[in-house]
C-alpha cells in the first residue's frame, strides 16, 4: 500500500511536531510526502496536471496540518481549490476508492472540543468539510489522527505517538487489534533483513510472542462469547 | 450600524452572483466591502496592522463566498490566518460583541445538503469552523444567508433575494417580522429625501400602510394569545 502525506504548514521546518513526525515516516519505503507550502513557494502557478497525476499512484492520501482557526492552514485549501477540479473529482472519479486520512495537531487540549467546553464543537464536527469532500470523491474517510498538544507530551507518550502515527500511515484500516498486530509483524520482518544473526533471532522471538498473544486473544474472545451465549 | 463585507472569490468580476449582489450593496451608505483576493493580488504581504485596525470600525462583519469544497475559497482562510492573530482575537478581544454573518452561494441544490442526501451534511454543519471562530472571538454568529443556485432563479426570486440580502446586511438581528418592517421603513425614509414631492407622498403612504399592517399583526398576536390562554 502506498501513502502520500500532503502537509500544510506555513513554517514546516520550524514546527517541532512536524519535524518529529517527519523523522518517523522517513523509515517507510511506501510513504511519500509533499509540503504544499513549498510547492507554492517554488512557483507562481503550480502544474495542475502534474499534481493530479501524482496522486493516482497512491492508495491512501493524508492531509496533515496544525489546526488553524478550526480548519487547515490556507495552503491545503488552495491546493484543493486548484488541483481537485470538478472534472477530476466528480467526472473522472480520480480519487474513488482511495482512503483519506487526516493528521491534525492541536494547540489547545482535545478535551476543550465538545459541547459546553471552551471550543463548543468536536474535532469530528470541525472536520466535516473534509469528510464531505471524501464523500463526494468516493474516498473512504479514515478516523482522524489527532496529535494533542505535542509540546506537553512526555518522552514515552511521544514514543507511543510515533508508533501510532506509523500505523496510521501504513496499517490496514480500520485499526483493529488484529490489523495492528499484523502491521507490527510486517514492520518487524521488514527491518530484519539487514540485521546481524543474533538480532534476527531476537526479532523472530518477538514476532512469535506477538503471534502467541494474538492466538491468546482470539481464544479469550471465544471463551467470552461462549459465556455470554450461555447467559442469554 | 456599520457593516463590512469581506468577499472571497478568485474571479469576483466574472461571477454573476457576486456582481448581482454588488449592485445592491452599493446603495447602502454604511456598508463597505473588500474583495480579499484583490487585496492579496495587489501586494506580496498584506499590512496586518492596517487590516486589523480597519475591522474595528464595523459592527457587523460578513464573510461572503461561493462554497468551494465545503468551505470558503482559500483566500478567506489566508486572510483569517494572517489578520486574525491569537493576540488580536484572544488577548485583545478585538472582535468581541461584533456580529459575524456568512453569505454563501451554492452551485448544488440546498436540499442536497442533509443526511442521506448526496452531500450528506447540512450547511450548518459544514460552516461549523466559522461558528467556532465566532465563539472564540466572542462574536454573535448570525444565521447564515444561503444563495441557492443563483443561476436558476427567476427574475422575481432574484428581486426577493436582493431585498433579503440588503436586510441581512443592515437590519437589526434576529430578522423577526418587526425588525424587518422597521428596517424597511428606515430604508424607505432614507430614499425619500431626494425624491420629488409626489413620490415622497407615495412613500409616506407605503410607510403608513406598513405601520398599519404592523399594528394589525400586533393586535392579531394579542387575540391569538388570549384565545390560547382561555384554552388552557
Amino acid at each position: 500500500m502506498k501513502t502520500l502525506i500532503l502537509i500544510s504548514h506555513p513554517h514546516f521546518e520550524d514546527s517541532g511536531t512536524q519535524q518529529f513526525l517527519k523523522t518517523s515516516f522517513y523509515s517507510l519505503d511506501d510513504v511519500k510526502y509533499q509540503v504544499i507550502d513549498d510547492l507554492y513557494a517554488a512557483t507562481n502557478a503550480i502544474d495542475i496536471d502534474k499534481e493530479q497525476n501524482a496522486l493516482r499512484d497512491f492508495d491512501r492520501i493524508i492531509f496533515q496540518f496544525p489546526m488553524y482557526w478550526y480548519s487547515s492552514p490556507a495552503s491545503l485549501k488552495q491546493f484543493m481549490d486548484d488541483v481537485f477540479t470538478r472534472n477530476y473529482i466528480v467526472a473522472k472519479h480520480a480519487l474513488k476508492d482511495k482512503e483519506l486520512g487526516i493528521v491534525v495537531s492541536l494547540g489547545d487540549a482535545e478535551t476543550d472540543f465538545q459541547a459546553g467546553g471552551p471550543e463548543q464543537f468536536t474535532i469530528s464536527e470541525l472536520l466535516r468539510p473534509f469528510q464531505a469532500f471524501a464523500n463526494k470523491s468516493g474516498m473512504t474517510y479514515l478516523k482522524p489522527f489527532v496529535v494533542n498538544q505535542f509540546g506537553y507530551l512526555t518522552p514515552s507518550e511521544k514514543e507511543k505517538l510515533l508508533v501510532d502515527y506509523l500505523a496510521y500511515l501504513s496499517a490496514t484500516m480500520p485499526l483493529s487489534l488484529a490489523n495492528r498486530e499484523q502491521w507490527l509483524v510486517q514492520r518487524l520482518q521488514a527491518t530484519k533483513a539487514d540485521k546481524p544473526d543474533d538480532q534476527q533471532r531476537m526479532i523472530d522471538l518477538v514476532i512469535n510472542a506477538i503471534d502467541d498473544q494474538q492466538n491468546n486473544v482470539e481464544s479469550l474472545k471465544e471463551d467470552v462469547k461462549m459465556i455470554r451465549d450461555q447467559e442469554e
Side-chain angles (χ1 to χ4, degrees), chain A:
Chain A
M1 199 198 61
K2 294 177 77 178
T3 299
L4 175 67
I5 314 173
L6 288 170
I7 299 168
S8 173
H9 199 302
H11 313 288
F12 178 67
E13 296 298 332
D14 303 329
S15 158
T17 314
Q18 295 298 328
Q19 292 305 309
F20 179 79
L21 297 177
K22 183 180 167 185
T23 54
S24 66
F25 58 65
Y26 261 150
S27 69
L28 294 172
D29 287 339
D30 279 343
V31 174
K32 300 280 171 271
Y33 80 101
Q34 168 75 59
V35 181
I36 294 171
D37 305 72
D38 291 349
L39 200 65
Y40 280 95
T43 170
N44 275 325
I46 63 165
D47 183 338
I48 298 193
D49 282 342
K50 190 182 146 203
E51 296 307 322
Q52 287 183 340
N53 286 328
L55 293 170
R56 291 182 193 269
D57 290 339
F58 297 93
D59 311 293
R60 182 173 296 168
I61 294 165
I62 309 272
F63 293 165
Q64 180 171 310
F65 53 84
M67 189 169 266
Y68 278 19
W69 291 133
Y70 311 103
S71 183
S72 72
S75 64
L76 174 57
K77 193 64 199 348
Q78 191 66 61
F79 185 90
M80 293 176 74
D81 291 353
D82 288 344
V83 176
F84 300 155
T85 57
R86 216 175 155 81
N87 182 44
Y88 181 73
I89 297 295
V90 180
K92 291 191 183 157
H93 301 291
L95 301 184
K96 194 166 180 291
D97 298 330
K98 296 182 190 296
E99 294 172 317
L100 178 65
I102 310 272
V103 174
V104 59
S105 58
L106 303 180
D108 294 304
E110 194 176 353
T111 50
D112 287 355
F113 292 84
Q114 52 179 298
E119 306 293 353
Q120 287 294 349
F121 304 107
T122 63
I123 304 296
S124 283
E125 284 173 281
L126 296 171
L127 296 178
R128 282 280 190 271
F130 297 106
Q131 190 180 359
F133 173 74
N135 170 61
K136 191 73 165 191
S137 315
M139 300 177 89
T140 300
Y141 186 68
L142 304 181
K143 182 178 140 181
F145 184 89
V146 177
V147 182
N148 184 10
Q149 295 189 295
F150 178 79
Y152 295 98
L153 298 185
T154 65
S156 72
E157 285 169 336
K158 283 186 184 168
E159 218 164 279
K160 184 180 177 315
L161 172 71
L162 207 68
V163 178
D164 290 345
Y165 176 67
L166 286 173
Y168 192 76
L169 297 182
S170 58
T172 303
M173 295 286 177
L175 208 54
S176 60
L177 194 61
N179 280 342
R180 200 184 157 89
E181 290 191 342
Q182 186 197 30
W183 170 80
L184 199 58
V185 169
Q186 281 168 353
R187 292 284 305 142
L188 286 168
Q189 259 152 0
T191 54
K192 221 175 71 174
D194 54 352
K195 295 284 187 300
D197 277 5
D198 57 329
Q199 284 192 23
Q200 291 207 9
R201 275 191 299 275
M202 188 89 88
I203 290 173
D204 281 335
L205 281 173
V206 173
I207 290 175
N208 286 339
I210 291 172
D211 280 344
D212 284 354
Q213 212 179 346
Q214 176 65 20
N215 291 335
N216 280 339
V217 169
E218 291 301 332
S219 142
L220 274 168
K221 271 188 185 165
E222 282 298 313
D223 291 352
V224 169
K225 193 178 177 310
M226 228 162 63
I227 295 168
R228 289 231 169 105
D229 286 351
Q230 283 167 357
E231 277 174 350
E232 277 172 14

